[in-house]
Amino acid sequence: AVPFERVTSPHAMTSAFLQWCDANGIDTSKITITTDVATDDRTVHAACDIVPGDVVLAVPFERCVSTPGLKCGVTACPLDGDEGVDSSKQYFTPSERLAATLAKLRDDAERGQGEGEAYAPYVLGGLRDDIVDGPVFTWTNQEIAELQFPRAIGNCAKTKVRDGKVMKKLRETLPSESWVTKFPWALANARSRAIDLERGESFLAPGLDMFNHSHANANVKWESNAEGDAASVFLKATTRVSAGEELVVTYACEPAESFLLHMGFVGGMNPFDRVELWGSLAEAADWFAETFKSESGDVVLDKAAAREAAEELERQQRARERVAMVGLSSAGGATDDVSAELKLREMQNLMFGPSVGWKMDYDEALWMMFRHFTQALMPQEHADHIVMHAIKKRCEELLISMPTTIEEDEKIFSDENTPKRLKLAAEFRMYKKALLIRHLQSDARVDGGGGASS
């Protein structure tokens, strides 16, 4: 076989990919793809006027890339072969398994063999060559420290350790497989481009993964039709879009960490962002005991009992999360249960302890726990008012503990000479601090039912 002729011009690569789309049942007549020559960044625009409900782009499932279990065109995961890793589903997460599939596909494409030959215009032209410039992939520890918020820094550390272990395992177990060297590139693409399914699996849809993200102003959304010969995943317009206007989709409704760490951007104000106040309910219980002391300065809350109550609340919360995730796959049998468990483990690396968000909502377990402590220590006080006071006090503590103020972050972010990664870090922490300030200055009304309303 003759390998796909690699072109270096971004425009030529995009043209080759679009030709591949048209030849494989992916109608691109309603879109145009433009490439920024300086950055190689691509944007997708409407090629014509579009009205709500119009299908902008549809990709047959048979042209998608996934792992076994989904009805896609490429599903063979090299980790499951005779020379693969035993019990791969018990060790590798869905993202890692998809990355292995993509890495093998690219290796075959470069060699002009196997399934990779048929997908060459996509993996060699539709996907970028470089690895996403995100903290977990390319940043130094010093650059990661500029994020300032412990949850983001901790998530980076966990992910880097995990990725290192995975690469070591692949090299030791599959030393002769050339696709292993392409795994980091493939993992970056799987994390930043894949469409996640509730059952724990994910897949890549050529073309759909080129649309940019908007936290709150998306004009298209993805849907799927899994029935019959026309089974496909597609983007449908949610608003009227004029010809030439950029088409954007919401990748996920998640906190800023998910976007910056794995996708390399913040994207401005994110209505789904949150700030972790404590790493766990147990930490929050210790804090409450040390903060609300007697007039003589003595700790009056039984810290051991408080921590035990907090840990029990956390066990109940994690159990509910597990049931929600694994229950989604119950119809698929034991194999899907394993996938869901691994997906849950992957998600829990990004899960927050007690936190606050832009919607002025509060963790029910935290509120309930602090309310119980208040009623035990200060029965004469309005419990919900004390809980709100405690949360505001914690927001103030976090702001004071930061190495920079929000005003300094704004100055760094606005300076055109600021290095790109530092600018991203400043944007990230700037919106986090703005969220804390909003809660600190809030005059939210306590509703007495485990929350507040603004």
Side-chain angles (χ1 to χ4, degrees), residues 1 6 15 79 150 425:
R6 192 64 180 275
S15 297
L79 298 175

Side-chain angles (χ1 to χ4, degrees), residues 310-326:
E311 289 172 348
E312 175 57 29
L313 282 170
E314 286 190 324
R315 281 193 291 271
Q316 294 174 10
Q317 187 171 337
R318 292 295 179 256
R320 288 194 295 271
E321 289 163 355
R322 180 192 179 281
V323 169
M325 173 57 69
V326 179

